[in-house]
Amino acid sequence: MLSSIAQSFSGPKMNTFISDLRPKLSKSSRILTPSDPDFSAANERWTDIDRKTPAVIVQPTCEDDIAILVKAAHVAKVAFVPASGGHSPWSTIENGMVIDVSQFKDVHVDANRQLVTVRGGVLMKELQIALSEENQFTTVANGNTVGAIPYMIGGGISSYTPLIGYACENILSARIVVATGDIVVASETENSDLLWAIRGAGQFFGLVTELVVRTHSPSLMGPDGVRQLGTIFFPTERASEVCSVLRDVVSRNDHASAGHFMVMNDPSKGRILMVAAQYFGTGPELQATYQPVIDLEPLDHNHQPSTFEKHSDHLAWMCPKGEFKRFSQTGLKCIDPKHFGRLVDLHRELSETLPGTERSVFTIEWHTKTPDDGPRKTETSFGLKKIDTWLNILTWYTDPALHEQVLQFDMRAQEIMRSDTEENAFVSYTNTSRSDPIGHRYKDAAAVAKLKELKQIWDPEGCFTKELL
C-alpha cells in the first residue's frame, strides 16, 4: 500500500505520529513498536521472504479504529500496509505502519437468508467452523490460516468453484475504508460500481472491513452434504502417461470435481506423483469417474468423505509461519502431458541441486466447468473467470542465500507450462502476483479501463498501492 507521496520513516516524526494515535484509538487496540515484547510475534508472517521491520504495528479492534488509522496515515503521509493472515507478500513494510486486523474479527451466519457476514481478520478455518455449525458453505481457500476477506476480494479460486463459482462471485456487499478515512458501503443499490471493483480488485481501492457473502446448502456437494477426497499415487517416471489419462477424465462434463496433480517429496514414499481429486458426489461415483486412472495400476489409492469444516486440514503442514516459502499461480490453457513431464523433471533438479528445498511442491490444479447460472451471473472485475486449469508452484527452502536460485526455478516452471502460449495470452492470478503486467492479471481491457476510472475517484493519490494509476 505504498502511496506515491507517503513515506516510510522512523525516528522523531514516527514517534510523534504514534503518540498522536494513542488517545484516538479504543483502549483495547494495541500499538506495538520494536521495543515491545510482543512486536516480534506480531511481525511473523507465513514466509520470511522479503520480511521487513515496520516502525509500528497497530492492532485495531473495531472498524472505527481502522478508519482513524487510515485517515491519520493519509494526513501525515505515513506509508502503511494491511495484514490479516500474514500470507500476502504485500503485508510487510520497512519503517512504515502495519494495520494488523487479526484482533478485529467476527462471523455472523444467517442460514435462513443464506448469507454470512465476515469482518476483519477472520481466517479460513474460523469461517468454515462458523458456516458448518449452521449447515452452510461457501468458497474458501486451501489454507486454514489464509485471511478470508483478502482472499475473496482478490478473486478467490476454490475447490468449490465447479459448484458455486469464485469467491468474488459470491460477494453481495462490502464495507470499505477509503483513503480519506471514510467508511463506505458498497452494494447493488449503493456505490454499485465500487462493489463491482471490490469483486476481484478490492485490494486496490481501500481496506475492506466487512463482506456479506452468499452461502449455499452442503447438499450441493452430494447426497450426504460432503465431498469425496481421492488420492492416487504413481512413480514419477509415469508422469506423462498418467497426465494424459487424467486430462481426459477431468475434461468430461458429466461430473463436478476439482483437484491437484502434483509432484512432491513424501516423507514415507519418497519423490512421488499424487492425484488428489475432490469429487462432488458419492464414493462409488468418484471411483467410477476416476476408474481410468485407477486402471493404470497405481502404487496406492484410496478415497474418503470430508466435511466442509475440515476442508483444508490435510494441508495444515503448509501453514506454519516462518522459513522461506513462495506460492505462485499461473493460468493454463489445459492439462498438457508433455509439459507436465518436463515440470516433474524440473522438480527433481530443484530437489537434487538445492539442499533444503525438499518440501517444494509443483502442481497442476483443475476445476470442471462452472455452471453459467447462479453465482456465475454476478458481474465482477475479476478477469480470469474462464480459467479452469492452474499451475501452482510452492517453493520452500531454509537458506536465504538460495533466494534467487529458487526463484529461477519458479520462473522456469512457468516458462515450461507456457511454452506454447503467446505472451498476450499469459495469465497470472491476481492474489499471487502484482509484478506481472496488468494484462496478465485482468484479461478484459474494458474492465481495466473502468477500474482505472474508479481508482481516480476512490484513491487518486495511490494510498492503497499505485496500481491502476
Side-chain angles (χ1 to χ4, degrees), residues 158 237 239 306 414:
S158 175
E237 58 266 21
S306 176
Q414 295 181 46

Side-chain angles (χ1 to χ4, degrees), residues 285-341:
E285 289 171 339
L286 177 149
Q287 184 88 7
T289 299
Y290 286 89
Q291 192 62 47
V293 181
I294 297 170
D295 286 344
L296 295 175
E297 299 183 354
L299 298 172
D300 188 20
H301 69 92
N302 60 76
H303 69 268
Q304 60 184 350
S306 176
T307 63
F308 176 71
E309 179 182 341
K310 297 181 179 180
H311 169 76
S312 291
D313 286 3
H314 61 292
L315 298 174
W317 66 276
M318 294 184 180
C319 291
K321 294 182 178 181
E323 297 190 328
F324 302 96
K325 302 187 286 287
R326 185 177 188 270
F327 185 67
S328 66
Q329 290 181 280
T330 303
L332 304 176
K333 293 188 299 184
C334 62
I335 297 176
D336 189 301
K338 178 180 64 176
H339 294 344
F340 186 74

